[in-house]
Amino acid sequence: MNTAPATISQSVESFKTHLLEQDKSLNTIKSYTQDLNHFLKWIHQRYEPPHLISDLTSTDLKDYERQLKSDQSIAPTTINRRLVALMKWSEFLVSIGSTNVNLSKNIKIKKIQKQNNIRWLTRKEVGKLLHAIELTKQQNHKKGMLHQTIVYLAVNLGLRVQEICNARIIDVDTQRGILRVNGKGDKHRMVPLSENTKEAIVKWLGERDSESEFLLMSSKSSHITTRAVQHIFKKYSKQLGIEITPHSLRHTYCKQLAQHGVDIQSIAELAGHSSIETTRVYVTPSIQELQSALKRTEF
């Protein structure tokens, strides 16, 4: 084992490496790093360098927690996220021998009533998006077919943006009506192809002229990137005045299943959720639904 890092900054870098080795997602690593850098900035303001781990105490972390919780400008969810990052990092320090004591042992997560803030689109909003894509097809048929296929993979099959980009032609089985998905954490699943999605894929395959193994490609690349997909949705969002992302369409897919009586376990299987708790939000009223209910019932 390498020598344990001496400074707090070095330990944060080591923690990032550890998370990569644990196959944590890039978004998770980015989030932990940002939150720990916020703590680092606080330490730099509190003490003169060098900022050694051996000089750090649980009192420092407790003081940081108090300051976070007293700041009314910070959302409770942000406070909790920063504290969780601190707790995970503290556990890592113990595991590599940088300290014998878990510095975050006295930290307590802020209690928050669970409410559903997830944003999904209404059927009317999805209709507006598909209408805009039809107009794109009139101007550039191939481009429009690409956009339509991407949207259907997200809203009719519930694929994550990376799953959309990684889909290969060999994964599509139109005879059996299924798509094989290489999902998050390298977990494989099969999802049923809806008729509209299957039709869009077949038409798209007839349009494209690349020999790429990947189902989707742009005019610039034989393998479309997540950034390119996000750029497409950003363009339609601006055009329609509706916030549309690959993930909001995935949320819409799950919500539609829940509203049409599909049981929570089946939704979890179709969406590739590792925990049923992730799926539970789709059977929990959203803030928008509660607002709508209030409008119907208020005096």
Side-chain angles (χ1 to χ4, degrees):
M1 182 180 290
N2 295 330
T3 305
T7 68
I8 299 172
S9 295
Q10 288 172 343
S11 75
V12 171
E13 289 302 312
S14 295
F15 183 52
K16 283 168 63 177
T17 302
H18 168 72
L19 293 173
L20 280 168
E21 291 171 350
Q22 294 293 311
D23 288 326
K24 298 297 182 183
S25 73
L26 293 179
N27 283 340
T28 297
I29 295 171
K30 181 181 178 182
S31 177
Y32 277 146
T33 303
Q34 287 176 340
D35 290 331
L36 289 172
N37 282 338
H38 185 273
F39 173 68
L40 267 174
K41 186 178 179 181
W42 182 83
I43 286 290
H44 291 169
Q45 293 171 343
R46 186 178 173 95
Y47 298 117
E48 292 293 325
H51 304 108
L52 302 176
I53 296 172
S54 57
D55 293 334
L56 200 61
T57 68
S58 56
T59 301
D60 292 317
L61 271 67
K62 196 67 183 173
D63 286 347
Y64 176 68
E65 175 194 0
R66 288 193 194 97
Q67 181 168 315
L68 282 178
K69 289 181 176 178
S70 65
D71 191 336
Q72 298 296 316
S73 68
I74 306 177
T77 50
T78 302
I79 293 171
N80 282 351
R81 196 193 65 228
R82 287 177 179 170
L83 292 178
V84 167
L86 211 59
M87 293 162 78
K88 294 291 184 183
W89 170 69
S90 298
E91 291 168 4
F92 167 73
L93 292 181
V94 174
S95 72
I96 62 172
S98 284
T99 177
N100 295 323
V101 180
N102 185 341
L103 298 170
S104 67
K105 63 180 180 179
N106 295 321
I107 285 179
K108 290 182 172 56
I109 298 299
K110 199 175 180 74
K111 291 184 179 180
I112 305 172
Q113 180 180 333
K114 287 189 176 180
Q115 288 186 299
N116 191 350
N117 293 309
I118 284 181
R119 162 81 172 135
W120 45 71
L121 276 64
T122 64
R123 294 193 71 88
K124 185 177 180 180
E125 288 172 331
V126 175
K128 286 182 178 180
L129 172 60
L130 294 175
H131 176 72
I133 290 174
E134 286 298 325
L135 296 179
T136 301
K137 284 165 70 175
Q138 291 177 16
Q139 298 172 351
N140 184 326
H141 195 264
K142 183 184 291 186
K143 183 179 180 181
M145 281 305 307
L146 171 64
H147 294 181
Q148 186 180 59
T149 305
I150 290 171
V151 168
Y152 279 161
L153 289 173
V155 81
N156 284 340
L157 303 190
L159 268 58
R160 301 176 177 93
V161 63
Q162 193 64 62
E163 294 169 348
I164 291 171
C165 295
N166 289 344
R168 301 169 301 165
I169 295 175
I170 198 172
D171 296 327
V172 182
D173 188 339
T174 54
Q175 293 297 317
R176 294 174 61 197
I178 60 169
L179 177 71
R180 300 176 190 87
V181 181
N182 183 17
K184 190 176 180 180
D186 204 30
K187 291 180 181 177
H188 297 264
R189 70 183 189 278
M190 291 190 294
V191 295
L193 282 172
S194 69
E195 286 303 314
N196 286 345
T197 308
K198 181 165 67 174
E199 183 181 344
I201 289 173
V202 171
K203 285 183 178 179
W204 163 247
L205 290 174
E207 288 279 345
R208 49 172 260 163
D209 49 17
S210 171
E211 295 299 320
S212 172
E213 66 173 308
F214 293 99
L215 175 62
L216 302 173
M217 76 287 302
S218 66
S219 57
K220 299 177 182 178
S221 171
S222 60
H223 181 195
I224 199 166
T225 64
T226 57
R227 177 170 287 188
V229 173
Q230 288 160 349
H231 178 75
I232 290 168
F233 284 112
K234 191 173 181 180
K235 171 197 158 190
Y236 284 114
S237 295
K238 187 175 181 181
Q239 179 182 332
L240 298 171
I242 304 169
E243 184 183 358
I244 306 168
T245 65
H247 220 59
S248 68
L249 289 178
R250 173 173 158 83
H251 289 322
T252 304
Y253 166 79
C254 293
K255 183 62 175 178
Q256 286 292 310
L257 290 174
Q259 287 181 331
H260 286 81
V262 178
D263 65 274
I264 192 170
Q265 185 63 52
S266 297
I267 297 173
E269 290 286 334
L270 288 166
H273 291 154
S274 56
S275 168
I276 201 77
E277 290 306 311
T278 305
T279 318
R280 200 172 298 284
V281 295
Y282 301 107
V283 295
T284 304
S286 68
I287 293 296
Q288 292 88 352
E289 287 171 317
L290 292 173
Q291 288 172 334
S292 178
L294 183 60
K295 286 178 183 178
R296 295 194 302 268
T297 59
E298 70 173 340
F299 292 95

